[in-house]
Amino acid sequence: MSDTENDTKADIKPKIGGGDGDNAAIQLKVVSAEGDEVTFKIKMNTTMGKMKKGYADRKGITNMGKFRFQFDGRPVQDAETPASLGMEDGDTIDVFDEQIGG
Amino acid sequence: MSAITKSPFYENEVVLSFFDTLIYGRDLELLNGNHWLNDQIIGFYNEYLEKFAYADQRTDIALVHPDVVFACLSVDATSAAEITKDLKLSEKKYVFMPVNNNGNVQEAGGTHWSLLVYHRPENSFFHFDSWSENNLPNARDLAGVMGAALGVSDKPAFAQRRDVPQQHNGFDCGMYVMCFSELLCGQYLEDRAVDLSDVTAEFVARKRRKVYDLIIHLREIM
């Protein structure tokens, strides 16, 4: 991933957006299987990859390969955005651990 | 299979974007040597079989992504139907669901993969497990929650298949799931006589290398 730490911080702001036209901020909840909730305020064109990094920062997760985002029963890709996924204010993203087995 | 050489990709580099699956360097590396497989690799192969190899018979089959299977296992039957509604599982003759024992074990992320198939012509679930009955409780839970999603009217039968080749190592269960899915697609969709006992340790080791090469090939042509 070529995103830098600065990009991440610049795009994910915990403040209330003022509704800047087509790119207004929406609030999304990330909910784990254990029921933990983390709330994000992000722009409609912010990539899910950046939001995943923000989530990892807040949860202290160092390995990005260890968790997955899901929206409406579909795996969420890093390049997707709230706009491309048709997300609305208040929507929930489910987060799951990587599954492994041998 | 021993690793031939380290993959020429960074851990966090996207190697392949394939429908709903993104394969990173660290995912691909799991195929390079005797490593446990994760949901991304199995999800990739499911998508490959459904949307590529058997694309012309997509109306008959669904190979559900392991992440979606896991999501269904964590909710009730009504929510599982809601989660999978876009997959139109109630219209499919054969539905393949990789089962992980994540949840029944202390270790986060699970330790074992098996395969649950819903066979609509026989209104039956068949469970294929390369490690005895290790995932039977998880497979039963899954069968119990998928009824509404699959649109069944009568309660389906459930059978633990006894003719399943067994792994002789502690790392190939995910490969067995992928091999079973591929052979069973051939049997169900092409009326091919399939003998699951073809899935030997050597067959599985060759398939591991083939799937690795397939990902590299798709990266080059897509």
Side-chain angles (χ1 to χ4, degrees):
Chain A
M1 299 279 91
S2 59
D3 300 332
T4 67
E5 188 83 12
N6 289 337
D7 284 346
T8 307
K9 294 221 166 112
D11 265 46
I12 301 177
K13 288 175 190 156
K15 67 176 188 188
I16 313 272
D20 46 337
D22 290 342
N23 203 21
I26 58 167
Q27 187 163 301
L28 297 173
K29 267 188 295 192
V30 181
V31 180
S32 76
E34 295 80 37
D36 299 337
E37 270 186 36
V38 179
T39 305
F40 288 89
K41 202 109 194 160
I42 68 167
K43 292 180 180 175
M44 290 301 281
N45 65 356
T46 301
T47 64
M48 289 291 116
K50 283 182 182 172
M51 187 163 152
K52 280 179 80 175
K53 281 186 181 173
Y55 179 79
D57 282 348
R58 288 214 208 161
K59 301 289 278 187
I61 301 167
T62 49
N63 189 335
M64 296 291 290
K66 292 294 182 194
F67 68 97
R68 319 264 183 256
F69 275 9
Q70 245 182 63
F71 180 63
D72 275 355
R74 272 194 50 215
V76 167
Q77 302 294 355
D78 286 2
E80 288 177 302
T81 64
S84 73
L85 289 161
M87 287 173 165
E88 293 170 3
D89 193 40
D91 274 347
T92 297
I93 292 173
D94 296 305
V95 60
F96 297 104
D97 288 337
E98 175 187 43
Q99 299 179 76
I100 51 168
Chain B
M1 184 189 85
S2 56
I4 291 177
T5 170
K6 176 107 178 66
S7 296
F9 302 103
Y10 293 111
E11 268 209 333
N12 291 327
E13 177 179 1
V14 174
V15 176
L16 177 68
S17 175
F18 190 78
F19 298 97
D20 279 348
T21 307
L22 216 51
I23 302 280
Y24 289 93
R26 59 171 173 263
D27 299 316
L28 181 68
E29 192 59 23
L30 299 177
L31 289 164
N32 189 25
N34 298 329
H35 305 292
W36 287 15
L37 299 187
N38 68 5
D39 48 327
Q40 293 300 93
I41 295 293
I42 293 175
F44 156 74
Y45 207 61
N46 274 1
E47 289 206 284
Y48 170 76
L49 291 174
E50 179 186 298
K51 296 166 182 169
F52 220 82
Y54 290 102
D56 50 340
Q57 281 141 308
R58 273 181 75 174
T59 49
D60 281 345
I61 56 163
L63 291 106
V64 185
H65 196 289
D67 292 357
V68 176
V69 171
F70 183 67
C72 290
L73 266 172
S74 63
V75 297
D76 63 13
T78 310
S79 303
E82 181 65 21
I83 286 171
T84 56
K85 69 175 188 299
D86 290 348
L87 304 178
K88 297 187 169 63
L89 300 185
S90 61
E91 298 169 16
K92 311 291 182 183
K93 270 189 184 164
Y94 312 102
V95 179
F96 293 73
M97 294 163 280
V99 182
N100 190 280
N101 64 346
N102 190 0
N104 272 25
V105 291
Q106 292 302 312
E107 247 172 290
T111 59
H112 186 61
W113 292 104
S114 64
L115 174 67
L116 185 69
V117 175
Y118 175 66
H119 191 292
R120 192 173 303 279
E122 296 186 24
N123 191 31
S124 295
F125 286 103
F126 296 118
H127 183 227
F128 300 82
D129 195 328
S130 64
W131 192 264
S132 187
E133 298 180 350
N134 192 83
N135 280 9
L136 185 54
N138 311 80
R140 283 198 189 280
D141 288 349
L142 182 61
V145 82
M146 292 303 288
L150 292 164
V152 298
S153 42
D154 301 326
K155 191 175 189 298
F158 183 102
Q160 168 79 16
R161 289 281 291 254
R162 303 290 168 193
D163 57 341
V164 181
Q166 299 291 292
Q167 65 188 96
H168 300 288
N169 60 44
F171 49 80
D172 266 336
C173 64
M175 287 306 311
Y176 276 84
V177 166
M178 289 153 64
C179 291
F180 296 157
S181 296
E182 183 162 18
L183 260 66
L184 292 168
C185 278
Q187 181 182 334
Y188 296 155
L189 299 175
E190 297 172 337
D191 263 337
R192 252 192 282 142
V194 163
D195 190 349
L196 282 184
S197 64
D198 288 345
V199 183
T200 60
E202 296 71 36
F203 182 98
V204 167
R206 279 198 304 276
K207 179 61 79 176
R208 188 180 273 267
R209 172 53 53 183
K210 279 185 187 168
V211 175
Y212 182 99
D213 292 343
L214 172 66
I215 291 171
I216 301 293
H217 174 69
L218 290 171
R219 172 188 169 86
E220 283 160 5
I221 64 168
M222 291 183 85

